[in-house]
Amino acid sequence: MSSASDGPHRHPGEPAGRGAGARLWAYLRGQERPPGPFRPEFWRSPLRGPWLTSVFGLVLLAGLPLVAITGLISYAAYDPRLPGNDITPEKGLFGFYLFDWPTSPVWLYRVTQGVHVILGLTLVPVLLAKLWSVIPKLFAWPPTGSPAQTLERASLLLLVGGAVFEFVTGILNIQLFYVFPFSFYPAHLYGAWIFLAALAVHVAIKLPRLVTSLRSRSFRRELRTSLRDTRPEPPDPDGLVAAAPAPPTISRRGLLAFVGAGSLTVLGLSAGQTMDGPWRRTALLAPHGRYYGPGPNDFQVNKTAASVGVVAAETGPEWRLTVRGARQVRLSREQLLAMPLYTYRLPIACVEGWSTEQTWTGVRLTDLARLSGADGGAGVYVRSLQRGGVFSHVSLSAGQTTDPRSLLALRVNGADLSLDHGFPARIMVPNAPGVHNTKWVRELDFRAPP
Ligand SMILES: Nc1nc2c(c(=O)[nH]1)N[C@H]1C(S)=C(S)[C@@H](COP(=O)(O)O)O[C@H]1N2
Ligand SMILES: [Mo]
């Protein structure tokens, strides 16, 4: 077929010594494939094929919608319709499904956000394996064909681009690399919708092929097939199966085990951040959970007081809580401690996936509302000593404000709050996302928003 002088990428019948310009023209017109990855012979793994791709596809089809739905739930949990909570001002139509985030069950956000982050991380190896299995298609030549083909490739671009964008921004965010030149929340939200739309198109196009491909081989038999007996899948119209497969160096079950082990490793090293007790120590992939801060409150700190510029002078004996309702009241910490105190076990569940349940003691928000001549029915606008930043204030809904378990917490686990956990006082609302449990509170405003 090709002699030594032909070079590795010459097609049969290609005239030798043709000008580079003519060759480029032939590539561009789609008459000829450019060398390297654009030629089918380049891709030699004997494992690639529609069955393998479909196995990874099925896992993603089961998992990614759950990641997406819990993500959309997380956005709703932020209550972005309340004044000041809107982290995505340009949400437009994307806010169509928002609803009042409930206070019960208290563990709901802990579960949905834990699933969002931990399942998302666990699917990373599967996503990479799936992309690996279809990579020859990235180099299909000519890049566009019939209108239907062009449309399909465009949707794939959005699908792969959307998935990669969501995973990269999500992982950077939970690893606290806030390196984006844009705001994470709107970008991650828009990316999700682009990805979901592309996924819907992709599933509509590919579902029949997914089913026939999965039926083409027995999963159980594949798990019993050793390297020695591993053969390529039969040639397929999509060109996933290598045209000139190399001898296998790993069996299909070996590859599945490798990907599965990768997922289980990620799961095992990150799930602990959602658990209390000794398991938390296993979350080696989680950035939080190592630093508990000074003081007796034995659980992780998100932002320390120092890191957000809250200084000891503001939190000392001079500190007063301002409560605004029909009238304005100012209270010292001693006066708050003299009010009826209630104790509840409530979780802190951070958007970044970690969570913990602790025993909080404090004054009911409804009691404070009443003290100022309000009833909490207008919700409450909370201001922190922290100046600036999205977490320096929060709006809580009427339902959150009037829940008897919603506290201005003064103590945790029987001890005064440590400075890093929000001393002198912090918000604790059942089932609220962690960000809404504002620390270092200086003002509660129960008046109806203007
Ligand atoms: N003022 C203020 N309150 C805040 C934050 C903050 O950065 N500033 N972080 C929030 C976030 S994102 C979480 S998850 C919880 C964490 O509480 P902890 O640090 O006591 O564990 O506090 C919330 N309250
Ligand atoms: Mo958080």
Side-chain angles (χ1 to χ4, degrees):
M1 236 167 84
S2 64
S3 70
S5 66
D6 275 340
H9 298 308
R10 180 144 303 157
H11 264 189
E14 193 174 293
R18 201 170 40 136
R23 190 172 293 178
L24 194 66
W25 184 231
Y27 297 155
L28 290 179
R29 287 172 48 191
Q31 291 174 326
E32 210 177 286
R33 292 165 189 270
F38 296 97
R39 303 220 168 140
E41 314 85 81
F42 182 89
W43 302 101
R44 304 200 60 199
S45 169
L47 298 189
R48 279 201 189 86
W51 181 82
L52 188 75
T53 292
S54 297
V55 171
F56 295 137
L58 184 67
V59 176
L60 293 177
L61 187 59
L64 286 181
L66 205 52
V67 177
I69 289 168
T70 49
L72 294 177
I73 287 176
S74 181
Y75 182 56
Y78 272 74
D79 276 323
R81 296 176 304 174
L82 299 178
N85 288 5
D86 199 339
I87 44 176
T88 311
E90 306 299 327
K91 62 180 175 291
L93 285 178
F94 293 150
F96 72 92
Y97 68 93
L98 296 177
F99 53 96
D100 274 344
W101 185 244
T103 50
S104 291
V106 291
W107 44 260
L108 183 64
Y109 189 72
R110 194 177 184 188
V111 170
T112 59
Q113 196 59 14
V115 167
H116 182 67
V117 171
I118 309 292
L119 180 59
L121 287 173
T122 302
L123 289 176
V124 168
V126 186
L127 180 73
L128 294 177
K130 169 94 199 294
L131 293 178
W132 170 85
S133 78
V134 296
I135 199 156
K137 297 201 59 175
L138 184 64
F139 296 94
W141 200 266
T144 56
S146 67
Q149 266 175 315
T150 309
L151 206 68
E152 194 199 324
R153 292 203 90 193
S155 81
L156 285 177
L157 204 68
L158 293 180
L159 182 74
V160 175
V164 170
F165 182 82
E166 290 301 275
F167 275 83
V168 169
T169 52
I171 290 169
L172 287 176
N173 196 63
I174 60 172
Q175 289 296 330
L176 317 181
F177 294 130
Y178 305 116
V179 291
F180 327 105
F182 43 79
S183 170
F184 168 76
Y185 295 93
H188 200 65
L189 180 73
Y190 300 154
W193 282 109
I194 291 172
F195 168 74
L196 280 174
L199 182 67
V201 172
H202 187 64
V203 170
I205 296 175
K206 296 287 183 178
L207 197 60
R209 188 153 299 162
L210 179 103
V211 174
T212 44
S213 302
L214 287 175
R215 290 210 176 121
S216 70
R217 301 175 94 78
S218 149
F219 191 78
R220 285 152 155 263
R221 182 167 321 141
E222 219 48 69
L223 291 187
R224 276 186 251 120
T225 304
S226 66
L227 173 60
R228 203 163 45 92
D229 296 324
T230 299
R231 307 273 177 278
E233 294 184 43
D236 66 314
D238 282 333
L240 293 177
V241 178
T249 52
I250 185 173
S251 63
R252 269 184 206 87
R253 73 173 172 195
L255 179 63
L256 294 177
F258 178 70
V259 175
S263 280
L264 287 178
T265 304
V266 174
L267 176 67
L269 295 182
S270 52
Q273 66 184 303
T274 66
M275 301 170 202
D276 288 313
W279 288 109
R280 187 173 306 279
R281 306 249 164 241
T282 63
L284 298 180
L285 291 181
H288 286 297
R290 286 169 222 158
Y291 175 68
Y292 286 9
N297 310 156
D298 193 20
F299 59 98
Q300 59 265 62
V301 166
N302 185 36
K303 297 261 170 58
T304 62
S307 75
V308 300
V310 171
V311 295
E314 302 171 287
T315 58
E318 304 295 297
W319 176 84
R320 294 290 178 276
L321 175 74
T322 304
V323 187
R324 292 177 200 275
R327 54 183 173 271
Q328 185 174 319
V329 186
R330 279 165 67 82
L331 297 162
S332 69
R333 198 163 188 277
E334 287 63 41
Q335 289 172 306
L336 287 166
L337 283 167
M339 290 176 66
L341 299 181
Y342 298 86
T343 298
Y344 299 104
R345 274 189 77 71
L346 296 173
I348 290 184
C350 182
V351 67
E352 286 151 8
W354 66 268
S355 55
T356 182
E357 194 174 73
Q358 306 291 336
T359 305
W360 303 90
T361 300
V363 181
R364 279 184 176 156
L365 293 184
T366 45
D367 287 349
L368 290 165
R370 230 166 280 128
L371 212 58
S372 69
D375 60 4
V380 62
Y381 193 84
V382 181
R383 289 190 176 86
S384 170
L385 289 170
Q386 177 183 350
R387 281 160 294 263
V390 255
F391 303 161
S392 61
H393 56 83
V394 69
S395 276
L396 300 174
S397 68
Q400 288 173 318
T401 309
T402 55
D403 190 298
R405 298 162 298 178
S406 292
L407 300 178
L408 182 72
L410 305 164
R411 299 166 68 80
V412 60
N413 302 327
D416 282 342
L417 291 175
S418 67
L419 183 59
D420 286 338
H421 282 306
F423 185 89
R426 76 175 298 166
I427 294 293
M428 281 307 301
V429 169
N431 193 41
V435 274
H436 285 183
N437 294 320
T438 306
K439 303 195 278 192
W440 314 293
V441 171
R442 71 175 160 86
E443 185 183 299
L444 300 176
D445 192 340
F446 292 100
R447 296 172 300 181

